Amino acid sequence: MSESKIYPVPPAIAATAHINQARYQQLYQQSVKDPDGFWAEQAQEFVTWFQPWTRVLDYNYGPDEVYIRWFEGGKLNVAYNCLDRHLEKRGDQVAIVWESDDPNVDRRLTYRELHTEVCKLANVLKSRGVNKGDRVCIYMPMIPEAAVAMLACARIGAVHSVVFGGFSPDSLRDRILDSDCRVLITADEGVRGGRHVPLKKNADHAMAECPDVTTCLVVKRTGNAVEWRDGRDIWYHDAMAGASDQCAAEPMDAEDPLFILYTSGSTGKPKGVLHTTGGYLVFAAMTHRYSFDYQDGEMYWCTADVGWVTGHTYIVYGPLANGAKSLMFEGIPNYPDMSRFWQVVDKHQVNIFYTAPTAIRALMRAGEAPVKQTSRASLRILGSVGEPINPEAWEWYYHVVGDGRCPIADTWWQTETGGHLITPLPGATPLKPGSATQPFFGVVPALVDATDGTPIAGAGEGALVITRPWPGQMRTVYGDHQRFIDTYFKQYPGYYFSGDGARRDNDGDYWITGRIDDVLNVSGHRLGTAEIESALVLHSAVAEAAVVGYPHDIKGQGIYAYVTVMAGITQTDELKRELVQLVRNEIGAIATVDIIQWAPSLPKTRSGKIMRRILRKIAANEISTLGDTSTLADPTVVEELIAHRANQ
Ligand code: 6R9
């Protein structure tokens, strides 16, 4: 593989950054040599405590017993930290800018307004019997009320469980039941790309099998007719109209639960990842400020949905804890047209923009014109999250979107980690396209041999594990602590196992290769699917590619590539040959793609992750056992791929 380019830190960014190169080195050293001292300082700097902690960290990483406790004895409230403490200095500053699906409609909420709404909703929840520790389900579109709902729960010590608005009624039901939520907050409908999403109708289906849900608060977003069950269903605006705006923030223990967020594992039903209060908030605030070099007064936009962890930490909790201006977008990147993201950037003068590689690739496919018709002069920092960003997309993001001015923070983390674990810092870290680069403060990653767990020193490749706790780490799987231990601490004893593979280069920079279960073994050689995909998309005719293994008589596994071509490209055998050659050239002869299937589009979850499990099944011709396809954004994509399955 060719040596990657290095983009040095732009001097103008380093000059004003919170963290420059020297500071990173110094603080990182301190964070690993004296973790207790380091985290005590950070906890003081980023969070306002009602009562100090008595012990910074107490933990056991198994294998039999696992517990992680940060800032024990400390008392705080997350909503207080995100709202009340800002009122004096920035009560009239905007907290949330809401850009609706319709480009002509937006809304601003100041910290004072947000505080008022949160207090009122907190009182509404109390009046419906919600107590500290109770779970509340939030099934909402991307409207400010989603953030209000999360913060209202946090204010009274209720534990929220946000379920992504694109999930089906059955998924919603399972999640409500798993965490025994008695209150559900939703909206009549959501609006995305001009289409309406029937949230209340879905919620009705789910609640039909959730007899313990006694309250359903419904925000009126579109005003279209919905079914109603008197006594249970209550209009949000009616309840809010009569609610007091005075509500004291409940003092919470640092280790009291803050939220549950379900995430798919490699097997079984989704896990309820549980995060707690003190450590999570310290880590959310600190990573938000440093990874994006957030400067006071800047406009910050994370395009994620609040239904995912990225929305939790980097739309709501991190930015608001830092008193930031956080933009919340209801729509999609290609509505009304492919220029929407950049129009929103110009309209709201966005300084920091954080999105996913899948969006970048989709936009890249439409060419430069929709980008170049906008100014984007306000942009200072770019971010990437959710999957490895292939160098091709990285370069396009950097040069076309950022005009070669804006460092890209390629942030590696997970629902389980609460916040960024491996990421460049804009003022400190030279960038390599496709590398998440260096560990965040206090994070000690390691690579171990995926098969036998032997630690790997220096440059190498293996399973990515983390050697000691960080404050944002999940504490348990809700209701199933054994599953927590089994999933994360059994395979490589003494470590937290991320499920990802990674490579570390001679500079100590990390390159995430993807989930370990996506690693192919071709004739005894290991190949990252992401690596092959990156090679494929180097071809100017290729928009996107997904690679899986399939059973091969001689090699063990063969390489099966699903390739989406750029608009207007003809799918020829000649092009297939070119692609096979390209991958061989980039990686080596072992990486000879066996089969290429043209894919009009790839099956993705609603959060944009390619569902490789399904692609593997199609490639292996195990179509009768596709498994759960309920999280697919568009099921017809799969039918199409099956119909045109390549002959082996
Ligand atoms: C935040 C989030 C976690 C998985 C993770 C990894 C992949 C996320 C990445 C990345 C390479 C990055 N991932 N960020 N891979 N580079 N910058 O996405 O959480 O939905 O739980 O997914 O996503 O495979 O293990 P989550």
Side-chain angles (χ1 to χ4, degrees), residues 453-467:
T454 319
I456 295 164
E461 183 165 346
L464 178 58
V465 298
I466 313 291
T467 32

Side-chain angles (χ1 to χ4, degrees), residues 583-648:
V583 179
R584 283 172 62 105
N585 290 347
E586 278 299 306
I587 302 170
I590 54 158
T592 302
V593 177
D594 297 278
I595 296 169
I596 292 177
Q597 173 172 359
W598 302 122
S601 47
L602 296 169
K604 290 183 182 168
T605 64
R606 276 159 270 207
S607 65
K609 284 202 168 52
I610 296 170
M611 292 190 74
R612 287 165 209 287
R613 180 172 55 74
I614 290 176
L615 291 177
R616 275 195 291 268
K617 290 283 185 185
I618 298 173
N621 203 7
E622 291 168 6
I623 290 144
S624 56
T625 55
L626 276 188
D628 181 15
T629 53
S630 67
T631 55
L632 270 172
D634 177 9
T636 62
V637 170
V638 172
E639 288 155 28
E640 171 78 29
L641 289 179
I642 292 172
H644 297 100
R645 208 181 134 266
N647 292 323
Q648 292 170 26

Side-chain angles (χ1 to χ4, degrees), residues 77 133 139 175 203 212 249 253 289 319 328 366 379 390 494 584:
N77 182 282
Y139 182 62
R175 287 159 175 74
D212 292 338
D253 285 329
R289 186 182 300 170
M328 189 173 187
L379 286 178
N390 48 293
R584 283 172 62 105

